[in-house]
Amino acid sequence: MVPDSIGWSLDPQLERDSVAAGDLALCQIRLMNDANYPWLLLVPRRRNVSEITDLTDADQAQLMREIAQAGRALKAETACDKINVAAIGNVVAQLHVHVVARFRNDAAWPKPVWGRLPARGYEKEAIDRLLTTLHRRLANAPA
Amino acid sequence: MVPDSIGWSLDPQLERDSVAAGDLALCQIRLMNDANYPWLLLVPRRRNVSEITDLTDADQAQLMREIAQAGRALKAETACDKINVAAIGNVVAQLHVHVVARFRNDAAWPKPVWGRLPARGYEKEAIDRLLTTLHRRLANAPA
């Protein structure tokens, strides 16, 4: 059987803005290179998918499980006040789901993060540390 | 068996900002009273739920089905260019999922809608017409 992910490739803008943080069954998990907020992207490894409803029912169900998994990992990692989840895609058409850890004292609170502040790149040590712990939390979480 | 929805009530701010558009198995569907964009809210009828991960696994799966159902109904109704989906909840804690029809020529495109423009209330005839057709589309859609 040919895997559904054959021929899939990551959108170049998503690739520039974020770094790989691991693969779950459906999605590539990426960490946005923006130290303003701990911010994951979940990108289903499926070709030509822009809307959630472009996924099969089984993939939609798996996407929800991975959104929950990413949210739990991020909350455990950061002890944030709120998780924000969104699939917007008005600029980058490739389906990607934002899972963002928000704090009552973050720079954009209580507004959503999109289009609010310029990205502030991580220091190399900080992003390496965050990737290591996130990767472990995602790997150990129930799918 | 006591239904899980016993004791649930809609957050007062969500009630002020939107009108009921029908009930699905899990969520009350509401139409935001904002003619800038056709904009639904899905509010799970569950008490004390703020994050998606506060729902049971079964309710999470049902929420995804209802997000897809609402997105398909909205797309069929409006022929929009993109559906935006988000669970933010930094201001209103009660879990509510936004499903918004976006157009390349709408007033906020390509930015997200939250905190962008003041709500522009519908004319009574327009909202009644939209509610009637949305209600029919949601009732006839596969769950």
Side-chain angles (χ1 to χ4, degrees), chain A residues 4 26 44 46-60 63 93-96, chain B residues 64 67-68 71-72 75 81-83:
Chain A
D4 293 333
L26 175 65
R46 295 289 184 263
R47 283 182 307 152
N48 304 324
V49 166
S50 173
E51 302 282 5
I52 289 172
T53 48
D54 294 337
L55 294 170
T56 64
D57 289 355
D59 280 349
Q60 289 176 25
L63 178 61
Q94 182 174 69
L95 178 61
H96 57 287
Chain B
M64 180 54 96
I67 287 169
R72 284 190 301 261
K75 196 143 199 169
D81 296 308
K82 189 72 188 66
I83 294 287

Side-chain angles (χ1 to χ4, degrees), chain A residues 50-53 60 63-64 68 72 75 82-91 102 109-112 114, chain B residues 50-53 60 63-64 68 72 75 82-91 102 109-112 114 116:
Chain A
S50 173
E51 302 282 5
I52 289 172
T53 48
Q60 289 176 25
L63 178 61
M64 179 55 94
R72 283 190 301 262
K75 195 143 199 172
K82 190 71 188 67
I83 295 288
N84 290 176
V85 176
I88 301 173
N90 301 341
V91 176
R102 302 299 307 276
W109 184 270
K111 307 239 184 215
W114 302 280
Chain B
S50 174
E51 301 283 4
I52 288 171
T53 48
Q60 289 176 26
L63 177 61
M64 180 54 96
R72 284 190 301 261
K75 196 143 199 169
K82 189 72 188 66
I83 294 287
N84 290 176
V85 176
I88 302 172
N90 302 341
V91 177
R102 302 299 308 276
W109 184 269
K111 308 240 183 215
W114 303 279
R116 197 62 52 182

Side-chain angles (χ1 to χ4, degrees), chain A residues 3-141:
Chain A
D4 293 333
S5 59
I6 286 285
W8 175 84
S9 66
L10 184 65
D11 173 272
Q13 182 171 338
L14 298 183
E15 185 155 27
R16 274 195 304 276
D17 294 346
S18 62
V19 296
D23 277 316
L24 298 178
L26 175 65
C27 295
Q28 181 170 126
I29 312 295
R30 302 187 63 87
L31 176 67
M32 286 286 278
N33 187 17
D34 184 352
N36 285 308
Y37 336 86
W39 178 345
L40 298 176
L41 297 181
L42 279 62
V43 191
R45 295 187 304 277
R46 295 289 184 263
R47 283 182 307 152
N48 304 324
V49 166
S50 173
E51 302 282 5
I52 289 172
T53 48
D54 294 337
L55 294 170
T56 64
D57 289 355
D59 280 349
Q60 289 176 25
Q62 182 61 24
L63 178 61
M64 179 55 94
R65 286 191 287 271
E66 297 185 5
I67 288 169
Q69 195 174 343
R72 283 190 301 262
L74 210 49
K75 195 143 199 172
E77 178 67 28
T78 66
C80 60
D81 296 307
K82 190 71 188 67
I83 295 288
N84 290 176
V85 176
I88 301 173
N90 301 341
V91 176
V92 171
Q94 182 174 69
L95 178 61
H96 57 287
V97 178
H98 305 264
V99 180
V100 191
R102 302 299 307 276
F103 297 86
R104 292 201 180 84
N105 64 351
D106 73 33
W109 184 270
K111 307 239 184 215
V113 297
W114 302 280
R116 197 62 54 181
L117 294 170
R120 186 163 60 84
Y122 283 98
E123 303 285 335
K124 176 156 184 1
E125 272 181 31
I127 199 167
D128 285 350
R129 201 167 46 233
L130 186 50
L131 283 169
T132 302
T133 54
L134 274 173
H135 194 269
R136 194 169 51 224
R137 285 185 198 279
L138 284 165
N140 292 337

Side-chain angles (χ1 to χ4, degrees), chain B residues 88-141:
Chain B
I88 302 172
N90 302 341
V91 177
V92 170
Q94 181 173 71
L95 178 61
H96 57 287
V97 178
H98 305 264
V99 180
V100 191
R102 302 299 308 276
F103 298 86
R104 293 201 179 85
N105 64 353
D106 72 34
W109 184 269
K111 308 240 183 215
V113 297
W114 303 279
R116 197 62 52 182
L117 294 170
R120 187 163 60 83
Y122 283 97
E123 304 284 336
K124 177 156 183 3
E125 272 181 31
I127 200 167
D128 286 348
R129 199 166 49 232
L130 186 51
L131 283 169
T132 302
T133 54
L134 274 173
H135 196 269
R136 193 167 54 224
R137 284 185 199 278
L138 284 165
N140 291 337

